[in-house]
Amino acid sequence: MRIVVTGMGVVSPIGTGIDQFWNAAIRGTSGISGIQCFDASGLRSRIAGQITEFNPAIFLTAKQLEQTDRFAQLALCAAIQALADAGSMENYEPRRLAVSLGSGMGGFSTFESSAARKFQNKSMPPFTVPRIMANSAAAWIATKYGFKGTNLTCSTACSSGANAIGMGLDLLRTGKADAVVAGGTEACVLPLTIAGFEALHALSTGFNTDPAHASRPFAQRRDGFVIGEGAGILVLEKEEQAQQRGAKIYAQIAGYGCACDAAHIVAPDMNGQVAAMQAAIEDAGIAPDQVDYINAHATSTPLGDVIETKAIKQLFGVHAEEISISATKSMIGHTIGASAAIGSIATIMTLHTGMIHPTINLDEADPECDLDYTPNHAVQRQVQAGMCNAFGFGGNNASIVFTIP
């Protein structure tokens, strides 16, 4: 059974909508800037990948705005795009339509503001809990469209979006759904979140006056990741049914692999990453040397980028030198639970267009990062099989393989 992608939607720091996002990615546009949504002067990391022109009032009523956290609003915006792109779902029974969404933090904006109100002895807004709960974004998508099938939320830190897409693939393969809205969403450009990552020494702090150059995966002077926000949504269907309803097909989602490295709660582990990539390749039924492109996890941390490079070399051997690799996070920052969903869209667009977006800010590579990371400029290459990696806190590693339909 072949599962295909028939619709996509994205909200990101470099653009909303597939065309705007992809055109900016191909140009190597940076979406990193000084934090504007709150006073960040007291933080050591004062930059982020922000979505500055997002207006949820365009598609939500005043009452719905009151009931939704920003992460759910971003997901709804991307889902609206993806379902419009996919075309009418009226031929499907509502109970055969599923949602599988990932978010690492959930409604953290509401959590933070509500906690502040509580400490000030102020009353709680009535929808505090529904706004905070991580499954609210998936629930809002289902409610808007009347999708009455399985409704799942995956929270595995930075691999949340990848695992949610993988769970969507499994729902279709096992016959538990006919179509799945799958992806990830995150909105945690917030004082508490940033302070927490600062305590782990995970964030970039040396580029506050030069934010566009702060996110620099694989580069010599990288000093941590830049936090970002966004959402990416895919519509997944069985190929035969998609063809019957005349849907356009972007790519086949051919394989999914996940593995817990069970090594450390925050430090990356090469063996777990190799296991996830290998599982995805085996699930896709292809050989490792058939992978042409990897959308790397590549957060721009000193240790993480080296470990991922070593994992790729360990698994692919000499073929690793022939694989084109790029890091979407170099332009949008690390969008946590949304990162692999947006990375999957970039991977699919690479297959669909024959263009590979660059890893920007890669003027001088780390000597231990010695593969082809598509530095600074997009390249044209016909890709038959692409992989998207996502490696998260908790030792959660996930990889997805997409192929030409």
Side-chain angles (χ1 to χ4, degrees):
M1 179 189 301
R2 286 162 58 100
I3 308 302
V4 295
V5 179
T6 58
M8 298 190 292
V10 64
V11 188
S12 82
I14 59 171
T16 293
I18 296 300
D19 289 343
Q20 190 180 86
F21 163 76
W22 188 241
N23 289 336
I26 291 297
R27 291 194 303 269
T29 304
S30 174
I32 310 302
S33 61
I35 291 173
Q36 303 168 33
C37 53
F38 65 89
D39 180 6
S41 59
L43 296 171
R44 285 182 288 122
S45 182
R46 299 187 290 277
I47 55 177
Q50 302 158 98
I51 300 163
T52 56
E53 297 181 1
F54 178 65
N55 182 12
I58 293 173
F59 56 90
L60 292 175
T61 66
K63 187 175 182 180
Q64 290 170 334
L65 286 170
E66 184 183 357
Q67 297 175 359
T68 51
D69 186 89
R70 183 174 174 87
F71 94 111
Q73 295 167 2
L74 294 174
L76 274 165
C77 183
I80 290 167
Q81 297 171 37
L83 286 160
D85 190 28
S88 174
M89 295 282 166
E90 62 184 12
N91 291 337
Y92 291 124
E93 290 291 330
R95 296 197 182 279
R96 301 289 299 167
L97 295 168
V99 181
S100 178
L101 215 62
S103 182
M105 309 295 288
F108 213 76
S109 174
T110 299
F111 172 83
E112 184 172 321
S113 62
S114 296
R117 289 182 65 87
K118 178 62 178 175
F119 293 142
Q120 295 167 9
N121 293 317
K122 295 180 179 179
S123 62
M124 288 293 100
F127 277 83
T128 295
V129 170
R131 283 169 58 113
I132 291 173
M133 62 190 195
N135 69 306
S136 62
W140 274 102
I141 292 171
T143 300
K144 178 175 178 61
Y145 288 97
F147 293 171
K148 298 182 178 180
T150 303
N151 192 283
L152 299 174
T153 296
C154 178
S155 188
T156 54
C158 313
S159 62
S160 299
N163 280 320
I165 293 168
M167 293 191 314
L169 175 64
D170 288 344
L171 286 173
L172 290 162
R173 284 174 167 175
T174 57
K176 295 178 180 177
D178 290 330
V180 183
V181 174
T185 184
E186 209 75 84
C188 56
V189 180
L190 300 162
L192 183 59
T193 312
I194 294 175
F197 281 121
E198 279 185 350
L200 289 169
H201 302 284
L203 296 181
S204 172
T205 59
F207 292 85
N208 288 321
T209 59
D210 186 19
H213 294 94
S215 187
R216 41 198 309 110
F218 307 114
Q220 178 80 306
R221 292 196 305 125
R222 68 190 185 281
D223 69 340
F225 77 81
V226 179
I227 201 160
E229 61 179 352
I233 298 290
L234 311 179
V235 177
L236 311 180
E237 299 179 66
K238 300 171 187 176
E239 183 181 45
E240 184 178 355
Q241 290 176 293
Q243 290 174 335
Q244 286 175 353
R245 71 178 189 86
K248 67 173 174 290
I249 294 173
Y250 284 102
Q252 178 188 0
I253 174 169
Y256 161 59
C258 61
C260 179
D261 55 55
H264 195 280
I265 197 68
V266 295
D269 178 81
M270 185 187 77
N271 293 326
Q273 295 180 10
V274 169
M277 289 189 287
Q278 184 170 13
I281 290 169
E282 291 174 355
D283 188 43
I286 62 175
D289 62 7
Q290 290 178 268
V291 175
D292 306 304
Y293 168 73
I294 296 175
N295 188 276
H297 181 62
T299 62
S300 189
T301 59
L303 178 61
D305 296 355
V306 171
I307 295 296
E308 185 170 10
T309 296
K310 289 181 177 179
I312 292 169
K313 293 165 76 170
Q314 173 73 23
L315 176 60
F316 291 98
V318 295
H319 179 62
E321 298 178 5
E322 300 176 20
I323 299 173
S324 295
I325 302 167
S326 63
T328 307
K329 293 181 185 70
S330 65
M331 293 175 279
I332 67 172
H334 190 358
T335 55
I336 316 296
S339 61
I342 298 174
S344 290
I345 288 170
T347 305
I348 292 164
M349 289 303 290
T350 293
L351 270 67
H352 191 63
T353 66
M355 293 294 295
I356 297 173
H357 78 64
T359 301
I360 66 171
N361 300 323
L362 189 49
D363 299 321
E364 183 181 1
D366 183 328
E368 293 189 85
C369 299
D370 55 356
L371 297 175
D372 177 9
Y373 306 113
T374 322
N376 302 315
H377 301 286
V379 299
Q380 189 170 0
R381 180 180 180 181
Q382 290 302 315
V383 173
Q384 299 294 315
M387 172 183 286
C388 178
N389 283 339
F391 308 134
F393 282 3
N396 289 291
N397 307 291
S399 297
I400 308 172
V401 171
F402 298 94
T403 59
I404 290 289

